[in-house]
Amino acid sequence: MPAVPHLVEIFYSEHCLGCPEALQAVRRFASGRLDVVVVEHDLQDEAALDLAKRHGVIATPAVVIDGDVVTYGVPRSAVLAACVGAPRLMTP
């Protein structure tokens, strides 16, 4: 059975000092993983800002995994791995 990917979203803004490092941390974490899909949301975009509000994001950088805010600031790889856990399998 194929694994269902986890959706890892990172919300950032251009004026955020920690955002470039947070983006790199998420990219490094996801590189080579087939069970993670990363979507980067620039809060200068109105649709991204609306999505951030729906998720309850209150600061940047923010990481949302599978619809839940899991961390603010530069995420540690161990935290991301713990949130993703074992790959989920698709049911037939």
Side-chain angles (χ1 to χ4, degrees):
M1 266 188 226
V4 176
H6 292 274
L7 178 59
V8 177
E9 299 172 272
I10 181 162
F11 292 85
Y12 68 94
S13 64
E14 76 174 60
H15 302 293
C16 166
L17 296 178
C19 287
E21 187 178 352
L23 285 162
Q24 288 302 317
V26 168
R27 291 172 185 153
R28 268 193 313 273
F29 170 74
S31 68
R33 292 190 67 134
L34 299 177
D35 62 335
V36 171
V37 172
V38 174
V39 178
E40 299 174 3
H41 299 287
D42 181 349
L43 293 183
Q44 286 189 310
D45 177 68
E46 190 68 33
L49 188 57
D50 289 343
L51 183 59
K53 289 176 186 176
R54 286 197 304 272
H55 282 306
V57 170
I58 58 172
T60 58
V63 178
V64 174
I65 297 179
D66 298 330
D68 296 318
V69 177
V70 297
T71 188
Y72 291 99
V74 178
R76 292 183 20 235
S77 190
V79 170
L80 297 175
C83 292
V84 169
R88 298 174 298 175
L89 299 179
M90 289 180 11
T91 55

